[in-house]
Short mmCIF file of all heavy atoms in Angstrom, two decimals:
data_model
loop_
_atom_site.label_atom_id
_atom_site.label_comp_id
_atom_site.label_asym_id
_atom_site.label_seq_id
_atom_site.Cartn_x
_atom_site.Cartn_y
_atom_site.Cartn_z
N LEU A 1 0.89 -1.18 0.00
CA LEU A 1 0.06 0.02 0.00
C LEU A 1 0.86 1.25 -0.03
O LEU A 1 0.55 2.22 -0.81
CB LEU A 1 -0.99 0.06 1.30
CG LEU A 1 -2.03 -0.95 1.17
CD1 LEU A 1 -2.75 -1.24 2.49
CD2 LEU A 1 -3.06 -0.45 0.15
N GLN A 2 2.02 1.24 0.85
CA GLN A 2 2.94 2.36 0.82
C GLN A 2 3.53 2.62 -0.43
O GLN A 2 3.68 3.67 -1.00
CB GLN A 2 3.97 2.18 2.04
CG GLN A 2 4.87 3.39 2.03
CD GLN A 2 4.06 4.67 2.38
OE1 GLN A 2 3.53 4.70 3.51
NE2 GLN A 2 4.27 5.71 1.62
N ASP A 3 3.92 1.36 -1.17
CA ASP A 3 4.51 1.47 -2.43
C ASP A 3 3.69 2.13 -3.49
O ASP A 3 4.02 2.89 -4.42
CB ASP A 3 4.98 0.09 -2.87
CG ASP A 3 6.14 -0.45 -2.14
OD1 ASP A 3 6.78 0.26 -1.50
OD2 ASP A 3 6.34 -1.72 -2.17
N LEU A 4 2.42 1.78 -3.37
CA LEU A 4 1.44 2.22 -4.36
C LEU A 4 1.14 3.82 -4.07
O LEU A 4 1.07 4.62 -5.09
CB LEU A 4 0.18 1.62 -4.13
CG LEU A 4 0.02 0.13 -4.73
CD1 LEU A 4 -1.30 -0.57 -4.08
CD2 LEU A 4 0.04 0.21 -6.23
N VAL A 5 1.27 4.28 -2.91
CA VAL A 5 1.04 5.62 -2.61
C VAL A 5 2.22 6.47 -3.14
O VAL A 5 2.19 7.52 -3.71
CB VAL A 5 0.99 6.02 -1.14
CG1 VAL A 5 1.27 7.44 -0.78
CG2 VAL A 5 -0.33 5.53 -0.62
N ASP A 6 3.56 5.84 -3.03
CA ASP A 6 4.72 6.48 -3.64
C ASP A 6 4.63 6.48 -5.07
O ASP A 6 5.02 7.49 -5.70
CB ASP A 6 5.98 5.58 -3.16
CG ASP A 6 6.15 5.72 -1.69
OD1 ASP A 6 5.63 6.70 -1.09
OD2 ASP A 6 6.90 4.73 -1.12
N LEU A 7 4.15 5.40 -5.82
CA LEU A 7 3.93 5.38 -7.09
C LEU A 7 3.00 6.50 -7.71
O LEU A 7 3.12 7.13 -8.73
CB LEU A 7 3.50 4.05 -7.65
CG LEU A 7 4.59 2.96 -7.63
CD1 LEU A 7 3.90 1.43 -7.84
CD2 LEU A 7 5.67 3.15 -8.59
N MET A 8 1.95 6.63 -6.91
CA MET A 8 1.02 7.66 -7.32
C MET A 8 1.54 9.13 -7.22
O MET A 8 1.31 10.03 -8.00
CB MET A 8 -0.28 7.62 -6.43
CG MET A 8 -1.22 6.54 -6.89
SD MET A 8 -2.75 6.37 -5.99
CE MET A 8 -2.38 5.44 -4.48
N ASP A 9 2.34 9.31 -6.29
CA ASP A 9 3.19 10.60 -6.13
C ASP A 9 4.03 10.78 -7.46
O ASP A 9 4.10 11.90 -7.96
CB ASP A 9 4.08 10.57 -4.86
CG ASP A 9 3.42 11.00 -3.65
OD1 ASP A 9 2.38 11.79 -3.70
OD2 ASP A 9 3.95 10.77 -2.54
N LYS A 10 4.68 9.70 -7.75
CA LYS A 10 5.40 9.81 -9.16
C LYS A 10 4.53 10.03 -10.38
O LYS A 10 4.85 10.89 -11.23
CB LYS A 10 6.22 8.63 -9.28
CG LYS A 10 7.38 8.37 -8.36
CD LYS A 10 8.16 7.19 -8.40
CE LYS A 10 9.26 6.86 -7.43
NZ LYS A 10 9.90 5.55 -7.50
N ASP A 11 3.38 9.41 -10.35
CA ASP A 11 2.51 9.53 -11.34
C ASP A 11 1.99 11.01 -11.49
O ASP A 11 1.88 11.57 -12.63
CB ASP A 11 1.23 8.71 -11.25
CG ASP A 11 1.45 7.27 -11.38
OD1 ASP A 11 2.45 6.87 -12.04
OD2 ASP A 11 0.81 6.36 -10.74
N ILE A 12 1.82 11.66 -10.36
CA ILE A 12 1.36 13.00 -10.27
C ILE A 12 2.45 13.83 -10.86
O ILE A 12 2.14 14.87 -11.75
CB ILE A 12 0.86 13.34 -8.86
CG1 ILE A 12 -0.29 12.68 -8.35
CG2 ILE A 12 0.80 14.96 -8.81
CD1 ILE A 12 -0.58 12.79 -6.88
N LYS A 13 3.66 13.70 -10.43
CA LYS A 13 4.75 14.57 -11.09
C LYS A 13 5.06 14.40 -12.59
O LYS A 13 5.27 15.22 -13.24
CB LYS A 13 6.02 14.10 -10.33
CG LYS A 13 6.07 14.63 -8.82
CD LYS A 13 7.43 14.04 -8.18
CE LYS A 13 7.39 14.58 -6.73
NZ LYS A 13 8.72 14.07 -6.06
N LYS A 14 4.64 13.19 -13.07
CA LYS A 14 4.71 12.91 -14.49
C LYS A 14 3.53 13.20 -15.22
O LYS A 14 3.59 13.20 -16.48
CB LYS A 14 5.10 11.38 -14.75
CG LYS A 14 6.51 11.08 -14.26
CD LYS A 14 6.91 9.60 -14.58
CE LYS A 14 6.02 8.63 -13.97
NZ LYS A 14 6.49 7.22 -14.38
N ASP A 15 2.48 13.68 -14.52
CA ASP A 15 1.16 13.87 -15.17
C ASP A 15 0.63 12.82 -15.98
O ASP A 15 0.09 12.91 -17.05
CB ASP A 15 1.21 15.23 -15.99
CG ASP A 15 -0.25 15.64 -16.25
OD1 ASP A 15 -1.00 15.53 -15.57
OD2 ASP A 15 -0.29 16.39 -17.34
N ASP A 16 0.82 11.61 -15.37
CA ASP A 16 0.30 10.27 -15.94
C ASP A 16 -0.87 9.78 -15.26
O ASP A 16 -0.85 9.01 -14.30
CB ASP A 16 1.58 9.23 -15.87
CG ASP A 16 1.08 8.04 -16.67
OD1 ASP A 16 0.04 7.81 -17.08
OD2 ASP A 16 2.10 7.22 -16.99
N MET A 17 -2.05 10.42 -15.80
CA MET A 17 -3.30 10.05 -15.19
C MET A 17 -3.73 8.50 -15.40
O MET A 17 -4.44 7.90 -14.52
CB MET A 17 -4.45 10.93 -15.66
CG MET A 17 -4.24 12.34 -15.17
SD MET A 17 -4.16 12.52 -13.37
CE MET A 17 -2.46 12.69 -13.02
N ASP A 18 -3.35 7.92 -16.52
CA ASP A 18 -3.70 6.44 -16.78
C ASP A 18 -3.01 5.57 -15.72
O ASP A 18 -3.58 4.70 -15.13
CB ASP A 18 -3.32 6.17 -18.11
CG ASP A 18 -4.18 6.60 -19.27
OD1 ASP A 18 -5.39 6.96 -18.78
OD2 ASP A 18 -3.81 6.70 -20.38
N SER A 19 -1.65 5.94 -15.48
CA SER A 19 -0.96 5.19 -14.48
C SER A 19 -1.58 5.49 -13.14
O SER A 19 -1.65 4.58 -12.24
CB SER A 19 0.47 5.55 -14.56
OG SER A 19 1.26 4.75 -13.68
N TYR A 20 -1.87 6.66 -12.85
CA TYR A 20 -2.39 7.04 -11.65
C TYR A 20 -3.68 6.26 -11.23
O TYR A 20 -3.95 5.80 -10.09
CB TYR A 20 -2.68 8.57 -11.43
CG TYR A 20 -3.20 8.90 -10.00
CD1 TYR A 20 -2.34 9.37 -9.08
CD2 TYR A 20 -4.55 8.84 -9.78
CE1 TYR A 20 -2.95 9.67 -7.71
CE2 TYR A 20 -5.19 9.23 -8.52
CZ TYR A 20 -4.26 9.55 -7.60
OH TYR A 20 -4.83 9.89 -6.31
N MET A 21 -4.57 6.23 -12.12
CA MET A 21 -5.92 5.55 -11.98
C MET A 21 -5.68 4.07 -11.76
O MET A 21 -6.36 3.49 -10.96
CB MET A 21 -6.68 5.83 -13.20
CG MET A 21 -7.32 7.21 -13.29
SD MET A 21 -8.66 7.27 -14.55
CE MET A 21 -7.73 7.02 -16.03
N ASN A 22 -4.71 3.51 -12.41
CA ASN A 22 -4.44 2.06 -12.24
C ASN A 22 -3.96 1.78 -10.83
O ASN A 22 -4.34 0.91 -10.12
CB ASN A 22 -3.31 1.61 -13.22
CG ASN A 22 -2.87 0.17 -13.15
OD1 ASN A 22 -3.78 -0.73 -13.01
ND2 ASN A 22 -1.67 -0.08 -13.04
N HIS A 23 -2.96 2.61 -10.46
CA HIS A 23 -2.31 2.55 -9.07
C HIS A 23 -3.53 2.76 -7.98
O HIS A 23 -3.46 2.15 -6.90
CB HIS A 23 -1.12 3.48 -8.76
CG HIS A 23 -0.06 2.91 -9.71
ND1 HIS A 23 0.78 3.79 -10.27
CD2 HIS A 23 0.42 1.66 -9.91
CE1 HIS A 23 1.74 3.09 -11.01
NE2 HIS A 23 1.59 1.86 -10.77
N ASN A 24 -4.24 3.76 -8.26
CA ASN A 24 -5.43 4.14 -7.34
C ASN A 24 -6.26 2.95 -7.15
O ASN A 24 -6.69 2.73 -6.10
CB ASN A 24 -6.14 5.28 -7.88
CG ASN A 24 -7.15 5.86 -7.04
OD1 ASN A 24 -6.88 6.16 -5.69
ND2 ASN A 24 -8.45 5.88 -7.44
#
């Protein structure tokens, strides 16, 4: 769960909404 939150932070910085939605 912590890893997923960290990945979502990276998705936000990259403006990658598809990846963010997947991790979310």
Side-chain angles (χ1 to χ4, degrees):
L1 286 165
Q2 183 60 59
D3 289 343
L4 287 166
V5 167
D6 294 341
L7 286 170
M8 283 186 275
D9 274 337
K10 292 178 181 177
D11 294 333
I12 292 167
K13 289 179 181 178
K14 293 188 293 185
D15 196 26
D16 188 344
M17 290 302 101
D18 287 335
S19 182
Y20 180 92
M21 288 191 296
N22 179 47
H23 291 138
N24 183 55

